[in-house]
Amino acid sequence: MPASKNPAIEDYLKTVYAHTEWQPDPITPSVLAGKLGVAPSSVTEMVKKMAAAGLIAHVPYGPLRLTDGGRERALAVVRRHRLIETWLVQEMGYGWDEVHDEAEVLEHAVSDRLLDVIDERLGRPARDPHGDAIPAADGTIPSEPFLRLDEAPEGHRGRILRISDRDPAVLRELETAGLAPGVEVAVSLGDGERVRLAAGTADAPAPAFELPGTAAAEIWLSA
């Protein structure tokens, strides 16, 4: 099995890519081990294998960075994962808090042909249910300036770009509050510990409500 088709390597590549998608700090081997739930020694061995395959650039005890080839492979896995999540929500009746684990399994089994059929049936979506950009088949991926809600200054108004799928309970809470990608919000208080905001447009604002800083840290807004 080629390195690029190895499910374990695909998981590593996707995790390294996702770590820096919404913040600038590169991932370290210890952080990677924590995210994947594996022993540091396992990460060391896998990183050696991936570096030998030209997928990762790494110096001992330093951060991990994808090579151009590694980024290309990572984006292919990310594309599969996010299209599958979108398909499960739009076509199969899943909630957005239920799809991550299913997509983790299916992303390694779906063929490129089936993936293109899914993409076409969905109308070539640009983002998944959580707001993450879906890479195109050619590896391009859209981006725009952003900031995290718990770091947004008072008075900031922006669209919700992305809500992390890390915690399904938080997703359910935010859905109940009417918060989802694409919703415009205005921040009236932000101190890191709590954030008060109102959804809706400037012409038709909704009642304000508060989120704890832990929940606000799961939301990204347009800058």
Side-chain angles (χ1 to χ4, degrees):
M1 179 182 293
S4 60
K5 295 298 183 182
N6 182 306
I9 287 180
E10 290 186 337
D11 286 341
Y12 272 72
L13 290 171
K14 182 180 66 177
T15 304
V16 173
Y17 171 80
H19 180 79
T20 55
E21 189 172 12
W22 293 94
Q23 60 84 41
D25 298 330
I27 194 167
T28 62
S30 61
V31 171
L32 180 58
K35 286 180 175 290
L36 292 171
V38 301
S41 58
S42 298
V43 170
T44 298
E45 290 304 312
M46 182 62 83
V47 166
K48 289 179 181 177
K49 182 183 297 185
M50 294 168 68
L55 300 174
I56 275 186
H58 172 56
V59 295
Y61 310 108
L64 306 173
R65 301 181 187 277
L66 296 173
T67 63
D68 289 344
R71 177 180 168 83
E72 179 181 345
R73 300 296 187 187
L75 285 170
V77 185
V78 168
R79 171 176 164 79
R80 293 204 300 272
H81 183 94
R82 293 176 181 174
L83 275 173
I84 289 168
E85 286 194 335
T86 308
W87 172 68
L88 289 172
V89 169
Q90 293 190 14
E91 299 285 333
M92 306 303 291
Y94 278 69
W96 69 335
D97 59 313
E98 302 175 310
V99 294
H100 179 75
D101 289 345
E102 294 279 12
E104 286 286 298
V105 176
L106 293 172
E107 69 190 32
H108 302 299
V110 170
S111 68
D112 291 341
R113 179 182 178 186
L114 177 56
L115 192 72
D116 191 60
V117 170
I118 290 172
D119 191 21
E120 182 177 11
R121 180 176 178 85
L122 295 175
R124 311 290 183 188
R127 295 187 177 273
D128 73 7
H130 311 104
D132 284 308
I134 299 174
D138 64 3
T140 57
I141 185 167
S143 64
E144 64 178 285
F146 59 84
L147 76 167
R148 217 168 61 188
L149 176 56
D150 63 324
E151 298 173 344
E154 294 181 31
H156 180 79
R157 178 178 291 276
R159 295 180 347 271
I160 295 177
L161 295 179
R162 185 242 188 180
I163 299 177
S164 171
D165 62 1
R166 183 180 61 85
D167 188 338
V170 170
L171 287 176
R172 290 190 289 271
E173 177 185 352
L174 296 177
E175 185 174 34
T176 300
L179 298 179
V183 172
E184 185 175 326
V185 298
V187 179
S188 57
L189 171 69
D191 61 8
E193 296 297 322
R194 57 199 174 100
V195 176
R196 184 184 301 127
L197 70 162
T201 64
D203 295 330
F209 57 93
E210 288 190 3
L211 288 175
T214 52
E218 303 293 318
I219 300 174
W220 282 257
L221 303 179
S222 57

